[in-house]
Amino acid sequence: MNGRERFFAHLRGEAVDHLPCLPITMQFAADLIGVPYKEYATDYRALVRGQIAVAETFGLDYVNTMSDPACEAADCGAKITFHPDQPPAVNESESLLMDKETLVHLKQPDPSSTERMSNRLKALSFYKEQVGGQLMIEGWIEGPLAEAADLRGINRVMLDFLDDPSFVRDLFEFVLEMELRFAKAQVDSGAEQIGIGDAAASLVGPKIYKEFVWPYQKRMVDALHEMGVSVRLHICGNTSKILEGMGKLGCDIVELDSLVSMADARETMGAEQILLGNIDPVRVVRNTNPDTVREALEESHREAGHRYMVGAGCEVPRDTPKENMQAIVDYARQHSPDRWEESR
Amino acid sequence: MDLQPLYDSVLIGDAKTTRSIVEQALAEGVGPQQLLDDYMIPAMDEVGRRFEANEYFVPELLISARAMKGALEILRPLLADSGSQTIGRVIVGTVRGDLHDIGKNLVAAMLEGGGFEVVDLGVDVPPEKFIESIGETNADIIAMSALLTTTMPGMKTTIEALESAGIRNNVKVIIGGAPVTQRYADEIGADGFSDNASAAVRLCRDLVNA
Ligand code: B12
């Protein structure tokens, strides 16, 4: 069974040789092949080389296109700072939608011609050539709130919820359309699954989540399913209070950060939801040792049950010891979905 | 005059009502210190409690902080005139290379709400800038935030820079942010750590009273 087969078989609930393994790596991947992060984020050849290197060195079941949250915002015309060896970042003090009026005139970027989105599309075609049929190829888009925050400024959008709800809805409409166009272009270029990153959704409570964020996430997930791909939802941070909504989105995979109880998520989301995670990327993955990593995964797996995939709570940090990264993959290799008590 | 609505309006983050009650109360002769100590600061304490208890989230906290800030703009000159002092001056900033500022902003807002004067240096703040700011503001406390393990060492570097500048003993240093721990604070010789914004206020109160 190759990684792609394993992944899709488990997704469909069919027998697999062992658990699929899908930790997120970005800076770790760039470091592994020794390219400065700016290159990794802006040149698809570096991205593809880094992802394949991680997958092959350690034995992951997939590759993806994520590098930083500023991709779409950059192509809308937002000011981005490109640090030499750090992720590009949106400049919040000069955010594109500092003035709300700007939204009215904002044009939808065309993913096939704008700089950063087209770079991601090239990565996907390149993956198809290099590892198509062997590893699952995952594309990536920003969720409604994460992208709204990139365009408007995260501190500003938090107040907009309470000050100007109709602006927030207009902004989310814009974002939804943009992300779905981007997703469609990714699917056309070879993405077999789309991940949605909506980090900022962990910062709002259940009320705002349900009223504003959830309906747009739901439309996003439904539209992605119509494109014929599976969906991974990634919300980092403490999502304990919004688990119920997350479970009702109908995502194929819900990835949880370490601040959430896997047991609670299982109880809230029901027996069939595939859960992924959720060990502490910093305190465990980066700072401890293979034994502790294995024990932490064992606990996540036990609490999640057999509808489970292996990963960290969020991005594997850049200075993670290689043996700890290997321990994540080894856990997956040594366990079938319904066996968490003992190693084989 | 019944001032309970002042407490309530800060708690729900209604900036307009907060300002107008403050103005009306001042016109009726209520002292600015009393407004602050008996209603506004207790309201912000409650905001902090709710945030810690997962009843309030980032938007609610930011909007209460904004109501507080608006009213403080009216009160601050009066407090200065009446000779009453702030309980302390705190420089806050996210360390070099780090752009995460939500937590730092919440800490700044809660400190301000708690009666401190806050000098916010923003994000990506190098050690030199912290030091320069001490010279300019005569602050009692430096509060540094870091959310990345790769930028955390900036806290240590800043403390070292304070030492080489010979001013380490003039200020207290507190640190925080998701990856930071009490152990790390002890290791680098910081004077305090907390993992949330309202505990940061208690921490600063203890430090200025010590
Ligand atoms: C929002 C967010 C972002 C936003 C930041 C927007 C902004 N303006 O702040 C954006 C999208 C820009 C971003 C970018 C990145 N991020 Co980020 N981000 C987060 C996220 C989801 C939430 C952070 C947050 O605001 N939390 C809410 C606040 C309220 O909590 P807090 O900051 O901890 O603050 C509280 C306490 O810690 C305390 N406190 C805070 N400061 C202080 C200071 C003092 C003195 C005291 C006493 C207390 C105190 O009080 C606060 C309130 O109670 C976290 C995920 C998570 N699990 O936390 C990742 C996270 C912090 N990010 C992470 C990473 C890796 C990045 C990027 C490198 C990602 C990338 N590859 O692009 C970039 C780096 C950019 C840079 N150079 O800084 C990692 C850090 C891993 C690590 N430790 O190294 C995290 C943990 C996610 C993960 N991988 O697990 N991020």
Side-chain angles (χ1 to χ4, degrees), chain A residues 26-27 37 67-70 83 86-90 92 142 146 150 153-155 199-200 202-203 234-238 257-259 280-282 286 313-319, chain B residues 51-52 58 61 92-94 97-107 111 123 142-152 155 173-180 192-201 203-204:
Chain A
M26 296 186 272
Q27 300 186 74
Y37 199 74
S67 62
D68 60 272
H83 305 277
Q86 284 238 25
V90 185
E92 190 171 347
E142 295 293 307
D150 289 336
I154 194 160
N155 289 284
S202 59
L203 304 178
H234 173 86
I235 303 182
C236 44
N238 187 348
D257 206 344
S258 57
L259 302 162
D280 193 319
V282 176
R286 175 181 176 276
C314 198
E315 180 190 0
V316 172
R318 73 182 326 166
D319 34 14
Chain B
F51 183 70
E52 272 181 66
V58 174
L61 212 157
V92 301
T94 303
D98 202 320
L99 303 172
H100 293 86
D101 69 353
I102 300 168
K104 183 267 298 169
N105 292 349
L106 297 185
V107 170
L111 284 171
V123 295
I142 294 184
M144 290 185 275
S145 181
L147 270 281
L148 298 170
T149 41
T150 47
T151 57
M152 259 167 70
M155 299 174 152
V173 177
I174 64 167
I175 62 173
V180 180
F193 157 82
S194 93
D195 65 2
N196 70 75
S198 43
V201 180
L203 190 62
C204 287

